[in-house]
Amino acid sequence: PWKWQKKVFAYAKKKNLICFSSVFDETSVDFLSNIGVKAYKISSFEITHHPLLKKVAKQKKIVFLSTGMATVKEIVSAINILKKNGTSKIILLKCTSYYPADPKDVNLRTILEMKKKFKCITGISDHTIGTSVGLASVALGAQVIEKHFKLPNDNQSLDSHFSIDFKEMKYLVDQCKVVKSSLGSVFFGPTKNELKNIKSRQSIYYSKDIIKGDLITGSNIKIVRPSLGLHPKYFDKIIGKKLKKNVTYASRVKLKDF
């Protein structure tokens, strides 16, 4: 309700939170502008409401744009209208416009394509039950997650059947940070923490006492841990080689032994 807005915005400011609302017509844009809103949300059903988009764009604020049922052509059109009329601060949210949404219909991979095609910050407006889809979206590049929130023991409000409570919201936030930190960069080879386990790789050792002049066979050498002996890639190459010296059981194989 409009009568809640000022009180909610004032409380959010007190808590150092950025507060904003969805707009559904031009009068609500003016109302929020007078409050001093820093961003506007365009719901998925309003993405084709071009006069509303123009009005919002002229405020020159951040715009969260839910895509919902929109085609690529409709998304392009909405973005062009926003940019042409004063704002380039657009955050696109992949959205499935029914409630609760079936995870099978979410198509999270679209986030990757949206990021590539529209060159915008991307995220998800998540109407599924639980937190799994939100977490998965982070792994696919989502930088913003919209999730419906309910107060404890609320089972009667309009969106309560697919909203999450305080505990689930905290879990979502905490785990999103874990997922984001795990993405890292494209990297091959051992990390700093893995280096201490490099000895757990295997290498070639003598599996018997062998005297000088004997030949190496598959029965007197073995690939085992640790990796302090000869690299396993030499296993087939040293079969049939003649020893230059006596060697003992469990000693490391070295190329200079032959």
Side-chain angles (χ1 to χ4, degrees):
W2 285 33
K3 63 181 180 180
W4 290 7
Q5 299 288 317
K6 290 183 179 179
K7 185 175 181 181
V8 170
F9 273 76
Y11 186 77
K13 186 175 181 180
K14 181 180 177 181
K15 293 295 183 179
N16 198 30
L17 296 171
I18 297 173
C19 189
F20 57 94
S21 289
S22 297
V23 290
F24 300 95
D25 57 35
E26 290 90 332
T27 57
S28 56
V29 177
D30 291 331
F31 174 77
L32 290 173
S33 178
N34 290 332
I35 294 179
V37 71
K38 294 185 178 181
Y40 292 89
K41 166 74 191 300
I42 305 293
S43 80
S44 60
F45 297 113
E46 275 60 58
I47 193 170
T48 56
H49 189 334
H50 290 184
L52 179 62
L53 294 177
K54 290 179 183 178
K55 178 84 171 180
V56 168
K58 289 176 182 177
Q59 309 306 309
K60 299 184 179 353
K61 301 290 175 65
I62 296 169
V63 176
F64 292 83
L65 185 64
S66 280
T67 57
M69 298 173 284
T71 63
V72 170
K73 185 176 180 180
E74 288 171 334
I75 296 172
V76 169
S77 180
I79 290 174
N80 287 341
I81 288 171
L82 290 171
K83 289 182 175 179
K84 185 177 179 180
N85 286 277
T87 185
S88 58
K89 303 171 184 177
I90 302 166
I91 297 171
L92 277 183
L93 302 181
K94 175 70 180 74
C95 174
T96 306
S97 298
Y98 71 93
Y99 315 86
D102 187 331
K104 294 178 183 176
D105 291 332
V106 174
N107 296 307
L108 283 178
R109 285 191 176 91
T110 309
I111 293 173
L112 295 170
E113 184 64 18
M114 286 168 60
K115 189 180 290 285
K116 178 181 176 182
K117 186 181 292 290
F118 302 113
K119 305 294 189 294
C120 292
I121 291 174
T122 56
I124 184 172
S125 178
D126 180 17
H127 304 137
T128 62
I129 294 174
T131 58
S132 298
V133 169
L135 290 173
S137 74
V138 177
L140 290 171
Q143 294 170 267
V144 175
I145 297 175
E146 175 193 325
K147 193 71 181 173
H148 290 229
F149 175 83
K150 66 179 180 179
L151 297 175
N153 303 316
D154 174 14
N155 296 310
Q156 296 182 343
S157 62
L158 184 64
D159 297 339
S160 62
H161 58 300
F162 65 91
S163 299
I164 58 176
D165 60 17
F166 171 79
K167 289 182 179 179
E168 289 176 298
M169 182 65 80
K170 185 178 187 306
Y171 175 83
L172 176 63
V173 172
D174 291 343
Q175 293 306 305
C176 278
K177 292 175 182 178
V178 173
V179 173
K180 184 179 178 182
S181 68
S182 74
L183 295 178
S185 58
V186 177
F187 181 85
F188 297 96
T191 63
K192 183 178 179 181
N193 287 326
E194 286 178 307
L195 283 173
K196 57 190 174 187
N197 291 325
I198 200 75
K199 288 191 292 186
S200 294
R201 286 182 168 183
Q202 301 188 49
S203 60
I204 309 172
Y205 283 76
Y206 292 109
S207 57
K208 294 180 179 179
D209 293 334
I210 317 173
I211 62 173
K212 179 179 177 180
D214 279 358
L215 299 180
I216 298 299
T217 68
S219 63
N220 56 23
I221 59 172
K222 191 173 184 179
I223 298 176
V224 293
R225 292 175 181 169
S227 61
L228 302 176
L230 191 64
H231 195 288
K233 67 183 179 182
Y234 292 104
F235 189 87
D236 291 334
K237 295 179 181 179
I238 64 175
I239 297 293
K241 295 286 186 180
K242 186 183 293 186
L243 274 172
K244 290 182 179 179
K245 62 176 185 177
N246 295 338
V247 295
T248 57
Y249 166 76
S251 60
R252 305 173 194 172
V253 175
K254 302 175 183 176
L255 284 177
K256 64 182 181 180
D257 294 343
F258 315 108

